[in-house]
Amino acid sequence: MYDILVVNKNYDAEGPDSISVRIGDLVEVLDMGDSPLNAAKKPKLDPQLNIGQSEDRLDSSASRHKLAVKPKKNHQSSSHRRSVSPQPPYQPKPNEKWKVRIFDGDDNAKAGWIPVSVLDINHTEQAVFGEKSNDASYRREAVVRELVETEEEFAKDLQQVVDNYLKYIDNKDNKVPRVVRDHKDDIFNNFKQIADFHNTVLIEGVKYYANNPKMIGKTFLRLERDFDKHVKYCRDAPVAQEFLASNDEIRDFFM
């Protein structure tokens, strides 16, 4: 299984062989290029076997003999292993790039080269090699981070509509067609309520439990009835769109 890492910096593709990634993306490391870690991850073959170095294949009897006479390895005692100092943090070379694939469970996911500097390797071999016992928590952290960032961006977009349209229409100093002011609620419905909900309630609940992912679901359960606002908006949206399409003055105002 390939190593799974989290992207900690945005990166835009610079050529056909690279891909764009965003903060919080999970990626699988496919190729470390010329990195010395590539050699470190490859299993070392027993020199006594000389596999792949002889032009003549060994017959089965010779192979069995090689395995039979293979010298035993002298393993260090557990007490000695514990006394060995940890490996120094891995320092990527300048402009070093690894080939990665965006981790989303899709076999056809995009793959390409990105700078190692945008990957959260924590400067430890455990992070580079993907210590599997930590993979679950690592993924949860990335998912929660993406959830918070996505909700913040969505709330910001909603608020921009409120500021640029609803507040503008409500300001009597602005030149707004009378028909637009009279039918503002028909056009926007309960949009402002939804924007307020995302900007002041939901985002705070998600952030509150960001360090305890198992509790995030409680935020949505507790606010279950508040999502009725979205149901109402989606239900009435076709009527608002039809109203806009049939009124040239209103449509021209929003163009």
Side-chain angles (χ1 to χ4, degrees):
M1 181 180 292
Y2 291 112
D3 306 322
I4 300 173
L5 298 176
V6 177
V7 175
N8 61 9
K9 293 180 183 177
N10 292 334
Y11 172 73
D12 294 322
E14 298 178 347
D17 294 333
S18 61
I19 58 173
S20 298
V21 291
R22 291 293 175 264
I23 294 175
D25 283 349
L26 289 174
V27 296
E28 291 179 287
V29 180
L30 304 179
D31 189 345
M32 293 181 179
D34 297 330
S35 170
L37 294 177
N38 249 344
K41 293 188 67 176
K42 293 179 180 178
K44 295 182 179 179
L45 300 177
D46 194 309
Q48 295 289 333
L49 294 177
N50 291 325
I51 296 178
Q53 296 180 4
S54 175
E55 295 181 358
D56 299 326
R57 290 182 177 272
L58 296 173
D59 60 27
S60 59
S61 60
S63 298
R64 287 195 296 271
H65 175 70
K66 283 280 188 180
L67 292 173
V69 301
K70 185 174 68 173
K72 295 182 179 180
K73 294 182 179 179
N74 296 321
H75 295 286
Q76 296 174 333
S77 66
S78 58
S79 60
H80 179 73
R81 286 198 300 269
R82 284 195 295 268
S83 65
V84 176
S85 300
Q87 293 294 323
Y90 174 67
Q91 297 294 338
K93 295 183 294 185
N95 301 320
E96 181 176 339
K97 291 186 177 182
W98 290 354
K99 186 176 183 180
V100 302
R101 175 171 57 201
I102 297 178
F103 183 81
D104 59 2
D106 186 354
D107 291 336
N108 297 318
K110 293 182 179 179
W113 296 87
I114 63 174
V116 181
S117 58
V118 306
L119 293 174
D120 185 8
I121 62 175
N122 284 337
H123 302 293
T124 65
E125 285 190 346
Q126 285 79 10
V128 175
F129 293 150
E131 193 171 294
K132 301 309 173 187
S133 61
N134 293 330
D135 277 356
S137 60
Y138 214 50
R139 294 182 192 181
R140 280 197 299 270
E141 179 183 344
V143 170
V144 171
R145 186 188 312 169
E146 182 178 4
L147 174 63
V148 172
E149 292 175 353
T150 301
E151 179 59 27
E152 286 179 333
E153 288 296 321
F154 182 61
K156 181 180 178 181
D157 291 342
L158 294 177
Q159 191 58 41
Q160 284 184 340
V161 174
V162 173
D163 294 339
N164 295 334
Y165 290 98
L166 289 172
K167 290 184 178 180
Y168 183 88
I169 293 172
D170 289 338
N171 189 340
K172 295 182 179 180
D173 294 333
N174 296 325
K175 293 183 179 181
V176 178
R178 176 67 179 271
V179 66
V180 173
R181 282 203 170 101
D182 290 346
H183 293 278
K184 184 190 72 172
D185 292 339
D186 296 326
I187 299 170
F188 291 96
N189 205 307
N190 61 342
F191 188 91
K192 188 176 186 305
Q193 294 178 20
I194 294 175
D196 291 342
F197 168 69
H198 281 273
N199 277 283
T200 62
V201 180
L202 182 58
I203 187 60
E204 294 303 323
V206 172
K207 286 182 177 180
Y208 184 81
Y209 287 118
N211 293 326
N212 190 2
K214 293 182 180 180
M215 298 295 291
I216 288 182
K218 283 196 171 184
T219 296
F220 290 89
L221 291 175
R222 179 171 57 85
L223 301 173
E224 179 181 4
R225 302 308 303 173
D226 289 279
F227 285 95
D228 288 345
K229 301 181 183 69
H230 302 70
V231 175
K232 182 179 184 301
Y233 181 85
C234 293
R235 183 191 63 205
D236 297 339
V239 177
Q241 292 172 357
E242 184 178 352
F243 179 73
L244 287 171
S246 62
N247 192 302
D248 293 339
E249 187 177 7
I250 294 179
R251 186 174 63 253
D252 292 342
F253 174 77
F254 288 105
M255 292 296 289

Coordinates of all heavy atoms in Angstrom, one line a residue, residues 69-137:
V69 N 22.2 -23.1 2.5 CA 23.5 -22.6 3.1 C 23.5 -21.1 3.4 O 24.5 -20.6 3.8 CB 24.6 -22.9 2.1 CG1 24.7 -24.4 1.8 CG2 24.5 -22.1 0.8
K70 N 22.3 -20.5 3.2 CA 22.3 -19.0 3.5 C 22.6 -18.8 4.9 O 22.0 -19.4 5.8 CB 20.9 -18.5 3.1 CG 20.8 -16.9 3.3 CD 19.5 -16.4 2.8 CE 18.4 -16.9 3.7 NZ 17.1 -16.2 3.4
P71 N 23.6 -17.9 5.2 CA 24.0 -17.7 6.6 C 22.8 -17.0 7.4 O 22.0 -16.3 6.9 CB 25.2 -16.7 6.5 CG 24.9 -16.0 5.1 CD 24.3 -17.1 4.3
K72 N 22.8 -17.4 8.7 CA 21.8 -16.8 9.5 C 22.1 -15.4 9.9 O 23.3 -15.0 10.0 CB 21.7 -17.6 10.8 CG 21.2 -19.0 10.6 CD 21.1 -19.8 12.0 CE 20.5 -21.2 11.8 NZ 20.4 -21.9 13.1
K73 N 21.1 -14.6 10.0 CA 21.3 -13.2 10.3 C 21.4 -13.0 11.8 O 20.8 -13.7 12.6 CB 20.1 -12.3 9.8 CG 20.0 -12.3 8.3 CD 18.9 -11.4 7.9 CE 18.8 -11.3 6.4 NZ 17.7 -10.4 6.0
N74 N 22.4 -12.2 12.2 CA 22.5 -11.9 13.7 C 21.7 -10.8 14.1 O 22.0 -9.6 13.8 CB 24.0 -11.6 13.9 CG 24.9 -12.7 13.6 OD1 24.6 -13.9 13.9 ND2 26.1 -12.5 13.1
H75 N 20.5 -11.1 14.7 CA 19.5 -10.0 15.1 C 20.0 -9.4 16.4 O 20.5 -10.1 17.3 CB 18.1 -10.6 15.2 CG 17.6 -11.1 14.0 ND1 17.1 -10.3 13.0 CD2 17.4 -12.4 13.5 CE1 16.7 -11.0 12.0 NE2 16.9 -12.3 12.2
Q76 N 19.8 -8.1 16.5 CA 20.2 -7.4 17.7 C 19.1 -7.7 18.8 O 17.9 -8.0 18.5 CB 20.2 -5.9 17.5 CG 21.3 -5.5 16.5 CD 21.3 -4.1 16.2 OE1 20.2 -3.5 16.3 NE2 22.4 -3.5 15.9
S77 N 19.5 -7.7 20.0 CA 18.6 -7.9 21.1 C 17.6 -6.8 21.2 O 17.9 -5.7 20.8 CB 19.3 -8.1 22.4 OG 20.0 -6.9 22.8
S78 N 16.5 -7.0 21.8 CA 15.5 -5.9 21.9 C 16.0 -4.8 22.8 O 15.7 -3.6 22.5 CB 14.2 -6.5 22.6 OG 14.4 -7.0 23.8
S79 N 16.8 -5.1 23.8 CA 17.4 -4.1 24.7 C 18.3 -3.2 23.9 O 18.4 -2.0 24.1 CB 18.1 -4.7 25.9 OG 19.2 -5.5 25.4
H80 N 19.1 -3.8 22.9 CA 20.0 -3.0 22.1 C 19.2 -2.1 21.2 O 19.6 -1.0 21.0 CB 20.9 -3.9 21.4 CG 21.9 -3.2 20.5 ND1 23.0 -2.5 21.0 CD2 22.0 -3.0 19.2 CE1 23.7 -1.9 20.0 NE2 23.1 -2.2 18.9
R81 N 18.2 -2.7 20.6 CA 17.4 -1.9 19.6 C 16.8 -0.6 20.3 O 16.7 0.4 19.7 CB 16.3 -2.7 19.0 CG 16.8 -3.7 18.0 CD 15.6 -4.2 17.1 NE 14.6 -4.8 17.9 CZ 14.5 -6.1 18.2 NH1 15.5 -6.9 17.7 NH2 13.6 -6.7 18.9
R82 N 16.4 -0.8 21.6 CA 15.8 0.4 22.2 C 16.8 1.5 22.5 O 16.4 2.6 22.7 CB 15.1 -0.1 23.6 CG 13.8 -0.8 23.4 CD 13.1 -0.9 24.7 NE 13.8 -1.8 25.7 CZ 13.6 -3.1 25.8 NH1 12.8 -3.7 25.1 NH2 14.3 -3.8 26.7
S83 N 18.0 1.1 22.6 CA 19.1 2.1 22.9 C 19.5 2.9 21.6 O 20.3 3.8 21.8 CB 20.3 1.4 23.5 OG 20.9 0.5 22.6
V84 N 19.1 2.4 20.4 CA 19.5 3.1 19.2 C 18.8 4.4 19.1 O 17.6 4.5 19.3 CB 19.2 2.2 18.0 CG1 19.5 2.9 16.7 CG2 20.0 0.9 18.1
S85 N 19.5 5.5 18.7 CA 18.9 6.8 18.6 C 18.0 6.8 17.4 O 18.3 6.2 16.4 CB 20.1 7.8 18.4 OG 20.9 7.8 19.5
P86 N 16.9 7.6 17.5 CA 16.0 7.7 16.3 C 16.7 8.3 15.1 O 17.6 9.1 15.3 CB 14.9 8.6 16.9 CG 15.5 9.4 18.0 CD 16.5 8.4 18.6
Q87 N 16.2 8.0 13.9 CA 16.7 8.5 12.7 C 16.5 10.1 12.7 O 15.4 10.5 13.1 CB 16.1 7.9 11.5 CG 16.4 6.4 11.4 CD 17.9 6.2 11.1 OE1 18.5 7.0 10.3 NE2 18.5 5.2 11.7
P88 N 17.4 10.8 12.1 CA 17.2 12.3 12.0 C 16.0 12.6 11.1 O 15.7 11.8 10.2 CB 18.5 12.8 11.5 CG 19.1 11.6 10.8 CD 18.7 10.4 11.6
P89 N 15.4 13.7 11.3 CA 14.2 14.1 10.4 C 14.7 14.1 8.9 O 15.8 14.6 8.6 CB 13.8 15.4 10.9 CG 14.3 15.5 12.3 CD 15.6 14.7 12.3
Y90 N 13.8 13.7 8.0 CA 14.2 13.8 6.6 C 14.0 15.2 6.1 O 13.0 15.8 6.3 CB 13.2 12.8 5.8 CG 13.5 13.0 4.3 CD1 14.7 12.5 3.8 CD2 12.5 13.5 3.5 CE1 14.9 12.7 2.4 CE2 12.7 13.6 2.1 CZ 13.9 13.2 1.6 OH 14.1 13.3 0.2
Q91 N 15.1 15.7 5.4 CA 15.1 17.0 4.9 C 15.0 16.9 3.3 O 16.0 16.5 2.7 CB 16.3 17.8 5.3 CG 16.4 18.0 6.8 CD 15.4 18.9 7.3 OE1 14.8 19.7 6.5 NE2 15.1 18.9 8.6
P92 N 13.9 17.2 2.7 CA 13.8 17.1 1.2 C 14.8 18.0 0.6 O 15.2 19.1 1.1 CB 12.4 17.6 1.0 CG 11.7 17.5 2.2 CD 12.7 17.7 3.3
K93 N 15.3 17.6 -0.6 CA 16.2 18.4 -1.4 C 15.4 19.6 -2.0 O 14.2 19.5 -2.2 CB 16.8 17.6 -2.5 CG 17.7 16.5 -2.0 CD 18.4 15.7 -3.1 CE 17.3 15.0 -3.9 NZ 18.0 14.2 -5.0
P94 N 16.1 20.7 -2.3 CA 15.5 21.9 -2.9 C 14.8 21.4 -4.2 O 15.4 20.7 -5.0 CB 16.6 22.9 -3.1 CG 17.6 22.5 -2.1 CD 17.6 21.0 -2.0
N95 N 13.6 21.9 -4.4 CA 12.8 21.6 -5.6 C 12.5 20.1 -5.8 O 12.2 19.6 -6.9 CB 13.5 22.1 -6.8 CG 13.8 23.6 -6.8 OD1 12.9 24.3 -6.3 ND2 14.9 24.0 -7.2
E96 N 12.7 19.3 -4.7 CA 12.4 17.8 -4.8 C 10.9 17.6 -5.0 O 10.1 18.3 -4.4 CB 12.8 17.1 -3.6 CG 12.6 15.6 -3.6 CD 13.1 14.9 -2.4 OE1 14.0 15.5 -1.7 OE2 12.6 13.8 -2.1
K97 N 10.6 16.7 -6.0 CA 9.2 16.5 -6.3 C 8.9 15.0 -6.2 O 9.7 14.1 -6.5 CB 8.8 17.0 -7.7 CG 8.8 18.5 -7.8 CD 8.3 18.9 -9.2 CE 8.2 20.4 -9.3 NZ 7.7 20.9 -10.6
W98 N 7.7 14.7 -5.7 CA 7.2 13.3 -5.7 C 6.0 13.2 -6.5 O 5.2 14.1 -6.7 CB 6.8 12.9 -4.2 CG 8.0 12.7 -3.3 CD1 9.3 12.8 -3.7 CD2 8.0 12.5 -1.9 NE1 10.1 12.6 -2.5 CE2 9.3 12.4 -1.5 CE3 6.9 12.3 -1.0 CZ2 9.6 12.2 -0.1 CZ3 7.3 12.1 0.3 CH2 8.6 12.1 0.8
K99 N 5.8 12.0 -7.1 CA 4.6 11.7 -7.9 C 3.5 11.2 -6.9 O 3.7 10.2 -6.2 CB 4.8 10.7 -9.0 CG 3.6 10.5 -9.9 CD 4.0 9.6 -11.0 CE 2.8 9.4 -12.0 NZ 3.1 8.5 -13.1
V100 N 2.3 11.8 -6.9 CA 1.3 11.5 -6.0 C 0.0 11.3 -6.8 O -0.2 11.8 -7.9 CB 1.1 12.5 -4.9 CG1 2.4 12.7 -4.1 CG2 0.6 13.8 -5.5
R101 N -1.0 10.7 -6.1 CA -2.3 10.5 -6.6 C -3.3 11.0 -5.6 O -3.2 10.6 -4.4 CB -2.6 9.1 -7.0 CG -4.1 8.8 -7.5 CD -4.2 7.4 -8.0 NE -3.8 6.4 -7.1 CZ -3.5 5.2 -7.4 NH1 -3.4 4.8 -8.6 NH2 -3.2 4.3 -6.4
I102 N -4.2 11.9 -5.9 CA -5.2 12.4 -5.0 C -6.0 11.2 -4.5 O -6.6 10.4 -5.2 CB -6.1 13.4 -5.6 CG1 -5.3 14.6 -6.0 CG2 -7.2 13.8 -4.6 CD1 -6.1 15.7 -6.7
F103 N -6.0 11.0 -3.1 CA -6.6 9.9 -2.5 C -8.1 10.1 -2.3 O -8.6 10.9 -1.4 CB -6.0 9.6 -1.1 CG -6.5 8.4 -0.4 CD1 -6.0 7.2 -0.8 CD2 -7.5 8.5 0.6 CE1 -6.5 6.0 -0.1 CE2 -7.9 7.4 1.2 CZ -7.5 6.1 0.8
D104 N -8.9 9.5 -3.2 CA -10.4 9.6 -3.0 C -11.1 8.3 -3.3 O -12.3 8.2 -3.5 CB -10.9 10.7 -3.9 CG -10.7 10.4 -5.4 OD1 -10.1 9.3 -5.7 OD2 -11.0 11.2 -6.3
G105 N -10.3 7.2 -3.3 CA -10.9 5.9 -3.5 C -11.2 5.6 -5.0 O -11.7 4.5 -5.3
D106 N -10.9 6.5 -5.9 CA -11.2 6.3 -7.3 C -9.9 5.8 -8.0 O -8.9 6.4 -7.9 CB -11.6 7.6 -7.9 CG -12.1 7.5 -9.4 OD1 -11.9 6.4 -9.9 OD2 -12.6 8.4 -9.9
D107 N -10.0 4.7 -8.7 CA -8.9 4.2 -9.4 C -8.4 5.1 -10.5 O -7.3 5.0 -11.0 CB -9.2 2.8 -10.0 CG -9.4 1.7 -8.9 OD1 -8.8 1.9 -7.8 OD2 -10.1 0.7 -9.2
N108 N -9.3 6.0 -11.0 CA -8.9 6.9 -12.1 C -8.6 8.3 -11.6 O -8.7 9.3 -12.3 CB -10.1 7.0 -13.1 CG -10.4 5.6 -13.8 OD1 -9.5 4.9 -14.1 ND2 -11.7 5.3 -13.9
A109 N -8.3 8.4 -10.3 CA -7.9 9.7 -9.7 C -6.7 10.3 -10.4 O -5.9 9.6 -10.9 CB -7.7 9.5 -8.2
K110 N -6.7 11.6 -10.4 CA -5.6 12.3 -11.0 C -4.3 12.0 -10.3 O -4.2 12.0 -9.1 CB -5.8 13.8 -11.0 CG -7.0 14.2 -11.9 CD -7.2 15.7 -11.9 CE -8.3 16.2 -12.8 NZ -8.6 17.6 -12.8
A111 N -3.2 11.9 -11.1 CA -1.9 11.7 -10.5 C -0.9 12.6 -11.2 O -1.1 12.9 -12.4 CB -1.5 10.2 -10.7
G112 N 0.2 13.0 -10.5 CA 1.2 13.8 -11.1 C 2.2 14.2 -10.1 O 2.2 13.8 -8.9
W113 N 3.2 15.0 -10.5 CA 4.3 15.4 -9.6 C 4.0 16.7 -8.9 O 3.4 17.7 -9.5 CB 5.6 15.6 -10.4 CG 6.0 14.3 -11.0 CD1 5.6 13.8 -12.2 CD2 6.9 13.3 -10.5 NE1 6.2 12.6 -12.5 CE2 7.0 12.3 -11.4 CE3 7.7 13.3 -9.3 CZ2 7.9 11.2 -11.2 CZ3 8.5 12.2 -9.1 CH2 8.6 11.2 -10.0
I114 N 4.3 16.8 -7.6 CA 4.2 18.0 -6.8 C 5.4 18.2 -5.9 O 6.1 17.2 -5.6 CB 2.9 18.0 -5.9 CG1 3.0 16.8 -4.9 CG2 1.6 17.8 -6.8 CD1 1.9 16.8 -3.9
P115 N 5.7 19.4 -5.5 CA 6.8 19.6 -4.6 C 6.6 19.0 -3.3 O 5.5 19.0 -2.7 CB 6.9 21.2 -4.5 CG 6.1 21.7 -5.6 CD 5.0 20.7 -5.9
V116 N 7.7 18.4 -2.7 CA 7.6 17.7 -1.4 C 7.3 18.8 -0.3 O 6.6 18.5 0.7 CB 8.9 17.0 -1.1 CG1 8.8 16.4 0.3 CG2 9.2 16.0 -2.1
S117 N 7.6 20.0 -0.6 CA 7.4 21.1 0.4 C 5.9 21.4 0.7 O 5.6 22.0 1.7 CB 8.1 22.4 -0.1 OG 7.5 22.8 -1.4
V118 N 5.0 20.9 -0.2 CA 3.6 21.1 0.1 C 3.0 20.0 0.8 O 1.8 20.0 1.1 CB 2.8 21.4 -1.2 CG1 3.4 22.5 -2.0 CG2 2.7 20.1 -2.1
L119 N 3.8 18.9 1.1 CA 3.3 17.8 1.9 C 3.6 17.9 3.3 O 4.7 18.3 3.7 CB 3.9 16.5 1.3 CG 3.5 16.1 -0.2 CD1 4.3 14.9 -0.6 CD2 2.0 15.9 -0.2
D120 N 2.7 17.4 4.2 CA 2.9 17.5 5.6 C 3.5 16.2 6.0 O 2.9 15.2 6.5 CB 1.5 17.6 6.3 CG 1.7 17.8 7.8 OD1 2.8 17.9 8.3 OD2 0.6 17.7 8.5
I121 N 4.9 16.1 5.9 CA 5.6 14.9 6.3 C 6.1 15.0 7.7 O 6.7 14.1 8.2 CB 6.8 14.7 5.3 CG1 7.8 15.8 5.4 CG2 6.3 14.5 3.9 CD1 9.1 15.6 4.6
N122 N 5.8 16.1 8.4 CA 6.1 16.3 9.8 C 7.6 16.1 10.1 O 8.0 15.9 11.2 CB 5.3 15.3 10.7 CG 3.9 15.8 10.8 OD1 3.6 16.9 10.7 ND2 3.0 14.8 11.1
H123 N 8.4 16.0 9.0 CA 9.8 15.8 9.1 C 10.2 14.6 10.0 O 11.1 14.6 10.7 CB 10.5 17.0 9.8 CG 10.3 18.3 9.0 ND1 10.8 18.5 7.7 CD2 9.5 19.4 9.2 CE1 10.4 19.6 7.2 NE2 9.6 20.2 8.1
T124 N 9.4 13.5 9.8 CA 9.7 12.3 10.5 C 9.5 11.1 9.5 O 8.7 11.2 8.6 CB 8.8 12.0 11.7 OG1 7.5 11.8 11.3 CG2 8.9 13.2 12.7
E125 N 10.3 10.1 9.7 CA 10.1 8.9 8.8 C 8.8 8.3 9.0 O 8.2 7.7 8.1 CB 11.2 7.9 9.1 CG 12.6 8.3 8.6 CD 13.6 7.2 8.6 OE1 13.3 6.2 9.4 OE2 14.6 7.3 8.0
Q126 N 8.2 8.3 10.2 CA 6.9 7.7 10.5 C 5.9 8.3 9.6 O 5.0 7.7 9.0 CB 6.5 7.9 11.9 CG 7.2 6.9 12.9 CD 8.6 7.4 13.2 OE1 9.0 8.6 12.9 NE2 9.4 6.6 13.9
A127 N 6.0 9.7 9.4 CA 5.0 10.3 8.6 C 5.2 10.0 7.1 O 4.3 9.8 6.3 CB 5.0 11.8 8.8
V128 N 6.5 10.0 6.7 CA 6.8 9.7 5.3 C 6.4 8.3 4.9 O 5.8 8.0 3.8 CB 8.3 9.9 5.0 CG1 8.6 9.5 3.6 CG2 8.7 11.3 5.2
F129 N 6.7 7.3 5.8 CA 6.4 6.0 5.5 C 4.9 5.6 5.8 O 4.5 4.4 5.7 CB 7.3 5.0 6.2 CG 8.7 5.2 5.7 CD1 9.8 5.0 6.5 CD2 9.0 5.5 4.3 CE1 11.1 5.1 6.0 CE2 10.3 5.6 3.8 CZ 11.3 5.4 4.7
G130 N 4.2 6.5 6.4 CA 2.8 6.2 6.7 C 2.6 5.2 7.7 O 2.1 4.1 7.4
E131 N 3.0 5.4 8.9 CA 2.8 4.4 10.0 C 1.3 4.1 10.1 O 0.5 5.0 10.4 CB 3.3 5.0 11.3 CG 3.4 4.0 12.4 CD 4.1 4.5 13.6 OE1 5.3 4.8 13.5 OE2 3.4 4.7 14.7
K132 N 0.9 2.9 9.7 CA -0.5 2.6 9.5 C -1.4 2.8 10.7 O -2.6 3.0 10.6 CB -0.6 1.1 9.0 CG 0.2 0.9 7.7 CD -0.1 2.0 6.6 CE 0.8 1.9 5.4 NZ 0.6 3.0 4.5
S133 N -0.8 2.6 11.9 CA -1.6 2.8 13.1 C -2.1 4.2 13.2 O -3.1 4.5 13.9 CB -0.8 2.5 14.4 OG 0.3 3.3 14.5
N134 N -1.5 5.2 12.5 CA -1.9 6.6 12.6 C -2.7 7.0 11.4 O -3.1 8.2 11.4 CB -0.6 7.5 12.8 CG 0.1 7.3 14.1 OD1 -0.5 6.9 15.1 ND2 1.4 7.4 14.0
D135 N -2.9 6.2 10.4 CA -3.6 6.6 9.2 C -5.0 7.0 9.5 O -5.4 8.0 8.9 CB -3.6 5.4 8.2 CG -2.3 5.3 7.4 OD1 -1.5 6.2 7.6 OD2 -2.2 4.4 6.6
A136 N -5.7 6.3 10.3 CA -7.1 6.7 10.6 C -7.2 8.1 11.2 O -8.0 8.9 10.8 CB -7.7 5.7 11.5
S137 N -6.4 8.4 12.2 CA -6.5 9.7 12.8 C -6.0 10.8 11.9 O -6.5 11.9 11.9 CB -5.6 9.7 14.1 OG -4.3 9.4 13.8

